[in-house]
Amino acid sequence: EAGVVQSPRYKIIEKKQPVAFWCNPISGHNTLYWYLQNLGQGPELLIRYENEEAVDDSQLPKDRFSAERLKGVDSTLKIQPAELGDSAVYLCASSSPKGNTGELFFGEGSRLTVL
Amino acid sequence: GEDVEQSLFLSVREGDSSVINCTYTDSSSTYLYWYKQEPGAGLQLLTYIFSNMDMKQDQRLTVLLNKKDKHLSLRIADTQTGDSAIYFCAEKGFQKLVFGTGTRLLVSP
């Protein structure tokens, strides 16, 4: 079974440019998460989807960040315009309601460098 | 608010035991987790413990939970160089996981 797939793995852009990250969760997982991981820190939740509905986006900086999960499968996270402080790893994770432990399955992340 | 704390760094010799500690704040957490992150990779679940347990053993891994002190620990027996990574504890808050800052484990030969 394929795991959570993210792309691109690495992205280098200049400040004020837009950037987008894509995530394909594990098949059958209806909950999808985007986490932000700054260097030397633990992941912090940006947004959580249940199917196509964003049920927790309280930590998403809505002035420049947006996300969507059309059809309740793949998701994209966009930053426009990017700032220097956005340099970080953006992790996507998914989970299944059938699992009784609440385990999250993570992708390898998209590392963003803003110059 | 939710705040999960860990020590930043631990160095051990190969074959020794490693103990990584974590304190959490949400007494209503149902599950507590240990995740491992190797360089350039995402997080991988190592083990978890249900909040009504005080110990769980899984091969070389032993998890101890002290609910009174909100303290969680992960013991790795016979630590190997392949165990070098960052270890995150996480608590299951309301509908989401809250992660600690991570403990970098360095295992030297």
Side-chain angles (χ1 to χ4, degrees):
Chain A
E1 178 184 282
V4 176
V5 179
Q6 291 187 244
S7 69
R9 287 293 316 278
Y10 304 92
K11 188 73 176 180
I12 301 173
I13 61 172
E14 293 188 343
K15 63 180 181 182
K16 300 184 181 178
Q17 294 299 306
V19 64
F21 305 112
W22 174 81
C23 174
N24 178 241
I26 292 173
S27 177
H29 283 195
N30 66 335
T31 307
L32 183 146
Y33 311 76
W34 283 102
Y35 277 85
L36 165 68
Q37 187 177 22
N38 285 304
L39 186 65
Q41 300 292 317
E44 300 172 27
L45 182 68
L46 287 172
I47 190 167
R48 175 171 67 93
Y49 282 93
E50 295 289 346
N51 299 304
E52 65 274 10
E53 182 183 0
V55 296
D56 184 356
D57 63 356
S58 57
Q59 301 303 310
L60 190 72
K62 298 181 184 61
D63 57 335
R64 297 183 301 107
F65 286 65
S66 64
E68 61 182 12
R69 192 185 183 197
L70 301 175
K71 302 180 182 179
V73 180
D74 295 0
S75 177
T76 56
L77 176 70
K78 297 178 182 178
I79 309 174
Q80 183 171 13
E83 297 179 352
L84 295 177
D86 297 331
S87 294
V89 177
Y90 293 84
L91 294 166
C92 179
S94 67
S95 66
S96 168
K98 298 177 184 176
N100 59 1
T101 64
E103 177 182 359
L104 269 61
F105 294 81
F106 283 85
E108 293 183 310
S110 293
R111 181 178 295 274
L112 173 65
T113 301
V114 182
L115 303 176
Chain B
E2 299 157 328
D3 192 14
V4 181
E5 295 187 351
Q6 301 179 235
S7 53
L8 291 180
F9 187 76
L10 176 65
S11 179
V12 300
R13 286 195 172 274
E14 193 173 23
D16 288 349
S17 293
S18 306
V19 179
I20 302 172
N21 295 301
C22 168
T23 57
Y24 61 97
T25 56
D26 188 352
S27 58
S28 65
S29 295
T30 52
Y31 286 94
L32 294 135
Y33 307 83
W34 285 103
Y35 279 81
K36 177 182 180 182
Q37 186 177 36
E38 298 188 17
L43 280 71
Q44 181 181 19
L45 181 68
L46 270 183
T47 187
Y48 65 92
I49 187 167
F50 189 49
S51 59
N52 69 352
M53 300 169 63
D54 52 20
M55 187 182 85
K56 179 180 179 182
Q57 189 152 2
D58 184 1
Q59 298 182 349
R60 293 191 297 122
L61 305 178
T62 303
V63 179
L64 296 178
L65 174 60
N66 181 330
K67 286 195 71 175
K68 175 176 173 290
D69 295 336
K70 297 178 186 171
H71 183 266
L72 183 73
S73 69
L74 173 69
R75 179 177 181 270
I76 306 173
D78 187 25
T79 313
Q80 302 298 305
T81 54
D83 295 324
S84 292
I86 302 175
Y87 292 80
F88 294 93
C89 69
E91 61 177 345
K92 187 174 183 181
F94 180 67
Q95 303 287 352
K96 68 180 182 181
L97 291 192
V98 177
F99 288 87
T101 52
T103 299
R104 182 178 295 274
L105 174 65
L106 177 64
V107 184
S108 54

